[in-house]
Amino acid sequence: MNPTLRHSDRTPVWLRWIIPAVLVFTWLAIAGVGGPTFGRLDEVSSNDQASFLPASAEATVAQDWQAKFRDSDEIPAVIVIEGADALTPAQLGQAAALKQQIEGLALGSTVIGPIPSEDGKAVQFIAPIAESDQLRESVQELRDLTADAAPEGMQAFVTGPAGLTADLVSAFAGIDGILLLVALGAVFVILLIVYRSLLLPLAVLLTSVFALCAAILLVFGMAKLGWIQLSGQSQGILSILVIGAATDYALLYVARFREALTHTTNRTAAVLTAWKASFEPILASGATVIIALLCLLFSDLNSNKALGPVAAAGIVCSLFGALTLLPALMALLGRAAFWPFIPKLVPAGEREPELVTGLEGQKGLWRATGSLVSRRPRTVWIASVLLLVAASAGVLQLKANGVPQTDVILTASNAVDGQDALARHFDAGSGSPAVVVVDEGKAAQALETVETSDGVGQAYLLAPGSVPITGAPGTPSAPDVREGKVLINATLDYAADSAEAEGVITSLRSELKTVDPDALVGGVTATALDTNTTAQRDLAVIIPIVLVVILLILMLLLRSVLAPVLLVLSVVLSYGAAMGVSALVFNHVLGFPGADATVPLFGFVFLVALGVDYNIFLMSRVREESLKHGTRPGILRGLGVTGGVITSAGVVLAATFAALGVIPIMFLVQLAFIVAFGVLLDTVLVRSLLVPALAFDIGPTIWWPGKLARPEGAATSPRTPATSPR
């Protein structure tokens, strides 16, 4: 009897069936609890930009003081009603009657208005809305009312902070459903093409979905306990990251499992062999991404800091899914998972061919690639580097200094249209004033400074009983005083989310320091300014930390110094090229006005961490083969056996991140393009050509100072161009 079959018969039942079944049922239970939690994420999610600032930011401190001047949390909605011609007396009467109707909705405190414009073609109201989970519904209620009650021939818009926030929330509304359907659909199609099987893609997708359910459950718990801040942005990134990472790890495991099935008829033995072979690279890959993401905890920007543990939790769940659930499914399915293209048992003499060139047994694309790398290694890697450097030149055109909030939403927005109408007829900053906090004794001098500052339309001290988020025109004889401080509201000449408005805030802060060294300037514009400034600081601090961490992990995995340094440099160069091409696309193809200040940092963390993943998959296998056959044959052998799976993984990850583009938020669309393009660039050029060619050119020294760099460390091979026997 075949000894392999006898071994199969001796496999204990608990190992063949009970443990896999327990693992599958455990994951079913996790998914059963985590799945319904998707619908509850809104309970612990916030899209308030100010809440993501560091506690030390001036805008944050000013916001804390501003809260002391009000008895309730309210956010202003600015209602603009405009016509093509000057309003008639009858239309003005209708507009005046609208105030009572708005107050009848009982959305917040006293409504201010109607305030006619100087050109007589528009009126505006400022309607405070109590902050709650129902903000979007409240704004929609206000829009329905004003659209019906507006004088005939006039248009009504609801904008300001409340309107813009409501439209932003609406843009994220499909993030749980549409995003997941697009991502999972794309992954399923790719897996069908790769495996030409139905069961295997379903098993891989099931692993990804269950890992996401576990991640959602974990993140929900952390947010509920107040450990992290969750936003629609980080929620979308979490979903994509978990699906992409879990699928990548699953592809690597499945490749080793398929390979093991060609060596044995015992599916349990094949499962364990594949697990042992893939455990180290999957763990190293996951650890790299996890630690890189946790480096975001060094960020001063709370939104970045929050994404770190959120995304890291997702990768942890992806790792557990790929190393427990997927092997359990493979143990239960065995060869049937690959039906109808079931892997056949390869005769023992053909399993480990003796390598001379490293191309033995290879065919098709990866044989051609390996042949090119071996014949012209220096030409290949130098040409690759020059191409990446040329693409990186586009970085000089990257405008990552933040974008106006009105440009963040890429679909039609009533609030954005309202901001345009507001700018046509009123001071553009109406409804979103700059807020100045000064000592009571410096109030008069500070008010005069603000009023005479360039870019300020009007300014006034907050009176007792006024609405502190909007104020009331006119200077009170007795300003409201809280703990020795007074508030000055300053309406700017520019839209609150514009670069010009940020320039006014910068000037105000400088001028007011000469009046009161403790003066604070906050508000919507100051929040955006401080966010951009903090994001630039984070970029300079976090990038070096991430690079050092990744370098150390690679050194431990590859037992080398030179190879990890070169791998990190290659991925950094790939990141620069991806950002350069992205800048050109954003500016000249998509016509974006700029990019969020956090885009370069997020792009770096994801591209570098995920790009190193593929180099880990490649070089860990190269090292394994080099120990058996020598460095240069090992490089070609490693490239050939990992080429298909790594390319498939890259395409899957690119497709999942590209799915972020269905959410009409500029930041997510930009991140989707950067990561999708960068991953493909890294997979096709860096991992397939640059890294193998550079390693082949250097030879055994690539493992310096490890034992493989020494002649006694492994078999040696001639430096002559490699050709394989036919």
Side-chain angles (χ1 to χ4, degrees), residues 255-265 269-271 273-274 335 345:
R256 298 308 294 250
F257 178 58
R258 186 187 190 110
E259 186 177 329
L261 286 176
T262 64
H263 296 179
T264 179
T265 57
V271 164
T273 298
R335 277 180 160 75
L345 193 66

Side-chain angles (χ1 to χ4, degrees), residues 671-691:
L671 186 64
F673 181 85
I674 289 170
V675 178
F677 176 79
V679 165
L680 289 177
L681 180 68
D682 195 79
T683 303
V684 173
L685 181 62
V686 177
R687 196 274 315 159
S688 299
L689 295 173
L690 173 56
V691 169

Side-chain angles (χ1 to χ4, degrees), residues 563-619:
V565 169
L566 294 176
L567 291 178
V568 168
L569 289 176
S570 72
V571 176
V572 170
L573 186 57
S574 175
Y575 164 73
M579 294 303 298
V581 172
S582 297
L584 297 176
V585 171
F586 297 160
N587 296 344
H588 305 295
V589 178
L590 300 178
F592 290 152
D596 190 278
T598 59
V599 162
L601 178 60
F602 283 3
F604 176 83
V605 170
F606 289 125
L607 278 183
V608 172
L610 296 172
V612 167
D613 268 7
Y614 300 130
N615 282 321
I616 286 175
F617 292 169
L618 169 66
M619 293 305 289

Side-chain angles (χ1 to χ4, degrees), residues 357 359 371 373-377 636 696 718-724:
T357 66
L359 295 175
S371 180
V373 165
S374 63
R375 289 199 311 269
R376 295 280 188 271
L636 300 184
F696 195 92
R719 174 65 199 279
T720 54
T723 56
S724 176

Side-chain angles (χ1 to χ4, degrees), residues 66-67 70-75 107-108 128-132 469:
Q66 192 179 3
R70 61 176 183 249
D71 298 323
S72 62
D73 291 328
E74 292 180 322
I75 182 171
L107 301 176
I129 298 178
E131 287 193 72
S132 69
I469 52 174

Side-chain angles (χ1 to χ4, degrees), residues 369-705:
T369 303
S371 180
L372 174 64
V373 165
S374 63
R375 289 199 311 269
R376 295 280 188 271
R378 191 161 301 172
T379 301
V380 170
W381 74 257
I382 290 177
S384 300
V385 168
L386 291 176
L387 181 60
L388 293 172
V389 169
S392 299
V395 169
L396 299 175
Q397 296 191 37
L398 183 65
K399 298 178 289 186
N401 298 315
V403 293
Q405 194 174 5
T406 50
D407 289 324
V408 169
I409 304 170
L410 300 179
T411 53
S413 165
N414 182 272
V416 171
D417 295 340
Q419 286 294 117
D420 294 337
L422 196 65
R424 286 193 291 269
H425 305 288
F426 299 92
D427 289 334
S430 296
S432 302
V435 179
V436 179
V437 183
V438 295
D439 287 337
E440 178 186 4
K442 306 290 180 63
Q445 189 179 355
L447 178 61
E448 182 180 358
T449 300
V450 174
E451 287 177 325
T452 57
S453 182
D454 291 338
V456 176
Q458 65 172 337
Y460 41 86
L461 283 162
L462 187 71
S466 296
V467 181
I469 52 174
T470 57
T475 303
S477 55
D480 196 2
V481 181
R482 304 287 174 97
E483 299 180 23
K485 300 286 187 179
V486 296
L487 280 188
I488 299 173
N489 278 355
T491 302
L492 306 185
D493 292 333
Y494 309 105
D497 59 359
S498 66
E500 293 84 358
E502 291 185 8
V504 174
I505 295 298
T506 301
S507 298
L508 273 177
R509 285 176 170 174
S510 177
E511 294 168 7
L512 286 168
K513 292 301 180 185
T514 63
V515 176
D516 179 3
D518 297 324
L520 302 169
V521 180
V524 173
T525 307
T527 295
L529 175 63
D530 288 351
T531 298
N532 293 339
T533 302
T534 306
Q536 298 296 333
R537 175 266 173 200
D538 286 349
L539 190 65
V541 170
I542 293 176
I543 283 181
I545 296 174
V546 171
L547 290 178
V548 169
V549 167
I550 290 176
L551 188 63
L552 292 175
I553 293 175
L554 287 174
M555 287 178 179
L556 291 174
L557 175 68
L558 300 178
R559 286 80 161 174
S560 166
V561 171
L562 182 58
V565 169
L566 294 176
L567 291 178
V568 168
L569 289 176
S570 72
V571 176
V572 170
L573 186 57
S574 175
Y575 164 73
M579 294 303 298
V581 172
S582 297
L584 297 176
V585 171
F586 297 160
N587 296 344
H588 305 295
V589 178
L590 300 178
F592 290 152
D596 190 278
T598 59
V599 162
L601 178 60
F602 283 3
F604 176 83
V605 170
F606 289 125
L607 278 183
V608 172
L610 296 172
V612 167
D613 268 7
Y614 300 130
N615 282 321
I616 286 175
F617 292 169
L618 169 66
M619 293 305 289
S620 61
R621 185 59 183 261
V622 166
R623 187 177 189 280
E624 179 183 330
E625 298 294 338
S626 296
L627 287 168
K628 301 176 184 176
H629 309 292
T631 296
R632 288 194 174 95
I635 290 169
L636 300 184
R637 170 72 175 170
L639 175 62
V641 296
T642 63
V645 63
I646 294 178
T647 301
S648 300
V651 172
V652 165
L653 190 63
T656 52
F657 264 93
L660 278 175
V662 304
I663 304 300
I665 301 296
M666 184 182 294
F667 169 83
L668 292 179
V669 171
Q670 290 176 331
L671 186 64
F673 181 85
I674 289 170
V675 178
F677 176 79
V679 165
L680 289 177
L681 180 68
D682 195 79
T683 303
V684 173
L685 181 62
V686 177
R687 196 274 315 159
S688 299
L689 295 173
L690 173 56
V691 169
L694 181 59
F696 195 92
D697 192 25
I698 294 173
T701 307
I702 192 74
W703 305 112
W704 181 87

